[in-house]
Amino acid sequence: MPVPVWWPQVTATVRQMRDFSGMLLALATPDWDDGTLTLVFPGEGAAVWRDSCSSRILTAALRHHGIHVAVNVTGAG
């Protein structure tokens, strides 16, 4: 079967989304309390996080490492 002509663009977009999620996550301050991970973002970071697919990427990474926790997201201040 031939590879679809659009496949390289899709894989590049997925790679960029993953990179974006990693950069965004680096802005967060993690807080661990009673089995819940809270990500505290500066400024509009929490809204950007919620509007992106970053939470799914984080959940997949946590599960990959056998970590099953609740994750909350909030803004600082």
Side-chain angles (χ1 to χ4, degrees), residues 31-53:
D31 182 37
W32 179 253
D33 184 34
D34 199 27
T36 299
L37 175 64
T38 299
L39 301 176
V40 182
F41 285 94
E44 299 296 318
V48 173
W49 179 269
R50 287 186 192 104
D51 290 343
S52 72
C53 65

Side-chain angles (χ1 to χ4, degrees), residues 15-75:
R15 202 170 13 260
Q16 288 172 346
M17 291 168 67
R18 185 186 64 224
D19 291 346
F20 172 78
S21 297
M23 288 185 291
L24 188 57
L25 187 58
L27 298 175
T29 301
D31 182 37
W32 179 253
D33 184 34
D34 199 27
T36 299
L37 175 64
T38 299
L39 301 176
V40 182
F41 285 94
E44 299 296 318
V48 173
W49 179 269
R50 287 186 192 104
D51 290 343
S52 72
C53 65
S54 297
S55 61
R56 290 182 183 186
I57 293 170
L58 175 60
T59 298
L62 289 166
R63 287 186 180 159
H64 174 77
H65 290 283
I67 302 165
H68 302 277
V69 299
V71 179
N72 292 328
V73 175
T74 187

